[in-house]
Amino acid sequence: MGIAYFVTLIMLICAFMLIKKTDKKLNIISFFGITLVCMLCYNAFICYILTFIKIPITLITLSSVNIIFTLLSLIFIYRKKEIQSYEFDKMQGFYIGIILIVTVFVSLLNFGIPFNVKYESGDASVHYLTSSMFNEEDKLLSVSYDKIYGSFQGRKIGSYTNSGIIMKCFSNGENELDNYKIFIAFGIFILFMTGAMMYNALERFAKNKFR
């Protein structure tokens, strides 16, 4: 079911990118990065709504919601009969590639292969716990309570919902300890996205651009 969920998510991302936002050509690298960030927010919002209306957050329900929004997007595109035009900036692609290489190098240097738990603080343990609990409970942790950490009602849902969904996709349910590898991989992805978005912001507002 994990593969099916990713297929529906890719379909939704493609449909969203095809919706016309402006007559100008958009930078496909920058906008794709923005779209991925929006998808993280979208996942958290959908999980909040599903919990509010008391529908279990499973890969089936998430995939169904993705399909619904994809169809709505395609209907909108069909009625407007227009799609967004994009352009590719080779230099920006080069710099994003460097950020990707640095991210992979730093991550392998820190975590190794296979991933080892090597965090500088214990804060990661709380994030892992909330992600794992969300993976198991199929709902937000607003009503959950842990003997050590207390109530999870005030926890930010943006992090543990997205990493928890990835756990749902790849966790085999047999060895829970393997989920930490998924958690670390998701953290590496967020590190890369942070670097890419920071570059996009600097490149956008820089007065003197190196080309």
Side-chain angles (χ1 to χ4, degrees):
M1 193 62 208
I3 296 177
Y5 167 77
F6 274 108
V7 170
T8 62
L9 188 62
I10 293 173
M11 290 169 54
L12 178 58
I13 291 174
C14 292
F16 177 74
M17 293 193 67
L18 288 175
I19 294 176
K20 189 170 184 178
K21 295 89 178 170
T22 177
D23 291 330
K24 298 179 180 179
K25 288 186 177 182
L26 296 177
N27 187 313
I28 191 169
I29 298 177
S30 297
F31 195 80
F32 181 70
I34 294 173
T35 301
L36 291 181
V37 174
C38 289
M39 285 298 107
L40 297 178
C41 299
Y42 158 84
N43 284 336
F45 177 72
I46 294 300
C47 289
Y48 178 84
I49 296 299
L50 291 177
T51 298
F52 181 77
I53 60 180
K54 300 186 184 306
I55 295 179
I57 303 172
T58 65
L59 292 180
I60 294 177
T61 55
L62 291 173
S63 298
S64 299
V65 173
N66 289 345
I67 291 174
I68 292 172
F69 278 102
T70 300
L71 291 176
L72 291 175
S73 299
L74 292 177
I75 291 173
F76 180 83
I77 294 172
Y78 177 77
R79 288 184 175 181
K80 291 293 183 179
K81 299 187 184 305
E82 292 180 314
I83 60 173
Q84 181 62 50
S85 297
Y86 293 95
E87 60 182 3
F88 178 76
D89 189 324
K90 294 181 180 180
M91 288 303 298
Q92 188 178 32
F94 174 75
Y95 292 133
I96 294 297
I98 292 177
I99 294 174
L100 176 60
I101 293 173
V102 171
T103 302
V104 172
F105 176 76
V106 171
S107 300
L108 293 179
L109 189 65
N110 186 48
F111 297 109
I113 300 178
F115 295 140
N116 297 309
V117 179
K118 292 176 60 179
Y119 289 99
E120 297 295 332
S121 69
D123 184 60
S125 64
V126 182
H127 290 286
Y128 174 78
L129 177 63
T130 52
S131 300
S132 184
M133 291 174 66
F134 172 75
N135 174 34
E136 296 174 357
E137 296 188 13
D138 295 335
K139 61 182 179 181
L140 298 186
L141 307 180
S142 57
V143 295
S144 300
Y145 184 87
D146 184 78
K147 293 181 180 179
I148 298 177
Y149 296 101
S151 175
F152 287 99
Q153 186 172 1
R155 302 290 179 181
K156 296 180 176 66
I157 68 173
S159 175
Y160 75 73
T161 51
N162 284 285
S163 54
I165 290 173
I166 303 300
M167 288 183 182
K168 289 178 184 292
C169 292
F170 293 102
S171 177
N172 55 21
E174 298 177 0
N175 189 358
E176 225 176 278
L177 291 176
D178 285 342
N179 282 345
Y180 83 89
K181 297 178 182 178
I182 300 173
F183 178 78
I184 293 175
F186 179 77
I188 294 173
F189 169 73
I190 295 299
L191 175 63
F192 167 70
M193 287 302 302
T194 302
M197 290 298 96
M198 179 64 71
Y199 166 77
N200 286 333
L202 293 175
E203 197 271 344
R204 179 180 179 83
F205 297 105
K207 294 182 179 180
N208 297 317
K209 299 182 180 181
F210 175 76
R211 293 290 180 183

